[in-house]
Amino acid sequence: MDRSNYSIDSYYLELKSVSKLFGGELALNNVGLSLNKGEFLSLLGPSGSGKTTLLRMLAGLLDVSSGNILVNNNELTNIPANKRNFGMVFQNYALFPHLTVFENVAYGLKARKVDKKIIKEKVETYLDLVGLGKLANRKPKELSGGQQQRVSLARAMIIEPDILLFDEPLSNLDARLKDQMLREIHRLHKELGFTAVYVTHDQNEALYLSDQIAVLNKGILEQFGSPREIIEKPKTSFVADFFGYTNKLNGHINNEGILNVGTLNVIPKDTAASFGDGIINIKPQDILISNPTETNKHRITDYRYLGSNTEITIEINGSNGQTLISMLPYLVSEEIFTNGYVGINIEPNRAHFFKDKGDVKI
């Protein structure tokens, strides 16, 4: 369910028309979304989309130019960071180098003047949760990047925050450690049920971890919904492209619901009331090739074998030079390209059509 326009008051986290101005320029424009207690939200988008700005506003590290932030029906918009019970996991770990693992994790509880016995019990519990129980006396410099991030995670969780904030926590890890930490965060969320807001530019991270995803682009909330909703029903061409529908073509829907791109005809998904010009987005793996015919003949402009698949670039006949890429999961014999032409076949409902110009809806 799309919850960007909501009317009930039972959500745990609510952003209402939140905007941020930097020097007169809008970094975030009228963002509204909602989250239930215990849900995991990913803020997803390319560099400069506004996702980190939004996270820092949630944390209280940046002022809100307009709009409201509520947690559990309490207004937090103008509450300073040190008065918000939020935990934060940073990209660069942000550990105290002179403190041991134990002391780093205990830091938030000591600042709250919690009893030493309780601190010891809780630190041991959370270090065991993240698999570092035997490393309590080490200093951060004696740990790997993945271990340091586990310390950061334990330190953020131990204060039992209202919301746990993640600022691209895996971006400094290599692929193997990144995968391990991704699974660890997923496990801990399922086990502990904390509410989380997670910044990433990686759609695979967002799809794996999230109950809800907010896709941001140039300060605009393009779409907010569950991973399945966003994958199956992208609302804009930008969202479709970001989630793998990377062939982006200008086309026209005729009165029979057929999309024409030059001589290529496609039956796109969700074309109700979409008669006219617009943008079509198609995944490369959904474009199949065949032997050319008189009515289905398009020129190959490039192809390359990539080990596990073959990428073919094809110019669509009659489309004023528009090209698309087909990604086939096998090695294609060069013989098929002898004459330099192929047929293009796209199954119905494998493409999305948007009546927009670029990424802005008409």
Side-chain angles (χ1 to χ4, degrees):
M1 179 181 67
D2 178 8
R3 305 191 308 193
S4 55
N5 295 308
Y6 50 87
S7 60
I8 64 175
D9 59 3
S10 60
Y11 293 114
Y12 185 66
L13 169 65
E14 297 177 275
L15 303 184
K16 296 183 176 182
S17 302
V18 170
S19 296
K20 180 61 182 176
L21 282 163
F22 285 117
E25 296 291 328
L26 269 174
L28 280 172
N29 187 6
N30 200 35
V31 173
L33 53 82
S34 56
L35 199 65
N36 289 317
K37 189 174 179 63
E39 285 189 320
F40 199 110
L41 165 67
S42 285
L43 304 178
L44 179 66
S47 297
S49 61
K51 55 189 186 295
T52 298
T53 296
L54 184 54
L55 189 81
R56 291 175 64 82
M57 291 165 70
L58 272 172
L61 302 174
L62 282 177
D63 293 333
V64 176
S65 297
S66 63
N68 302 89
I69 299 173
L70 292 90
V71 174
N72 201 21
N73 288 321
N74 295 313
E75 179 72 53
L76 290 189
T77 311
N78 298 313
I79 302 297
N82 63 347
K83 300 294 184 182
R84 304 185 190 195
N85 186 36
F86 288 1
M88 194 154 185
V89 182
F90 295 93
Q91 182 181 125
N92 61 353
Y93 322 133
L95 301 178
F96 298 109
H98 62 289
L99 299 182
T100 65
V101 167
F102 184 99
E103 292 166 337
N104 267 284
V105 175
Y107 185 84
L109 296 180
K110 286 185 176 180
R112 288 164 170 77
K113 302 189 186 313
V114 175
D115 182 79
K116 288 183 179 181
K117 183 180 178 181
I118 295 174
I119 289 176
K120 184 176 186 298
E121 291 173 353
K122 293 193 73 172
V123 171
E124 289 174 351
T125 296
Y126 278 89
L127 284 179
D128 285 341
L129 270 174
V130 298
L132 295 178
K134 296 180 179 180
L135 303 180
N137 295 319
R138 292 194 183 181
K139 296 287 183 66
K141 66 181 181 181
E142 301 174 270
L143 304 177
S144 69
Q147 289 170 333
Q148 290 185 59
Q149 195 57 283
R150 287 170 188 264
V151 176
S152 179
L153 184 55
R155 183 182 60 186
M157 292 190 301
I158 199 170
I159 63 170
E160 297 177 356
D162 294 331
I163 299 178
L164 191 55
L165 306 176
F166 295 84
D167 185 13
E168 299 204 57
L170 309 183
S171 61
N172 289 337
L173 302 179
D174 63 35
R176 182 181 61 82
L177 287 175
K178 181 177 180 178
D179 184 66
Q180 288 179 0
M181 282 302 302
L182 195 63
R183 294 175 186 276
E184 188 76 359
I185 292 169
H186 184 265
R187 177 185 69 80
L188 289 167
H189 177 247
K190 296 302 179 187
E191 187 173 330
L192 301 177
F194 52 77
T195 307
V197 179
Y198 184 97
V199 165
T200 182
H201 59 271
D202 187 327
Q203 55 267 54
N204 292 324
E205 286 183 26
L207 291 170
Y208 178 58
L209 293 172
S210 306
D211 299 297
Q212 303 292 329
I213 297 174
V215 185
L216 293 160
N217 177 35
K218 298 176 182 176
I220 302 293
L221 180 61
E222 294 266 346
Q223 189 166 351
F224 175 64
S226 70
R228 184 169 184 175
E229 288 168 343
I230 288 174
I231 285 290
E232 294 184 357
K233 296 179 180 180
K235 285 191 169 183
T236 68
S237 181
F238 173 84
V239 175
D241 180 83
F242 202 81
F243 280 91
Y245 296 86
T246 51
N247 285 302
K248 189 172 180 178
L249 307 164
N250 296 307
H252 178 87
I253 292 279
N254 63 29
N255 55 13
E256 296 177 350
I258 305 296
L259 177 72
N260 310 123
V261 182
T263 62
L264 177 66
N265 298 322
V266 184
I267 301 175
K269 197 170 185 177
D270 302 327
T271 58
S274 291
F275 173 79
D277 296 331
I279 304 293
I280 183 173
N281 286 76
I282 319 168
K283 290 185 175 181
Q285 57 267 40
D286 287 333
I287 298 168
L288 306 179
I289 63 170
S290 62
N291 291 322
T293 65
E294 187 174 335
T295 57
N296 187 6
K297 184 177 181 180
H298 311 276
R299 187 171 68 90
I300 298 166
T301 61
D302 190 24
Y303 82 99
R304 53 180 180 159
Y305 179 54
L306 301 174
S308 60
N309 47 49
T310 303
E311 178 188 279
I312 307 167
T313 305
I314 307 164
E315 182 180 326
I316 302 170
N317 184 37
S319 69
N320 294 319
Q322 293 193 79
T323 62
L324 51 71
I325 291 175
S326 172
M327 191 72 74
L328 304 175
Y330 48 81
L331 173 62
V332 178
S333 171
E334 291 188 33
E335 293 179 3
I336 196 171
F337 308 117
T338 302
N339 296 319
Y341 289 89
V342 290
I344 295 174
N345 302 288
I346 302 169
E347 292 291 326
N349 299 320
R350 291 292 188 178
H352 289 277
F353 178 74
F354 304 95
K355 289 191 73 174
D356 61 17
K357 293 180 178 179
D359 299 319
V360 181
K361 287 231 171 183
I362 295 175

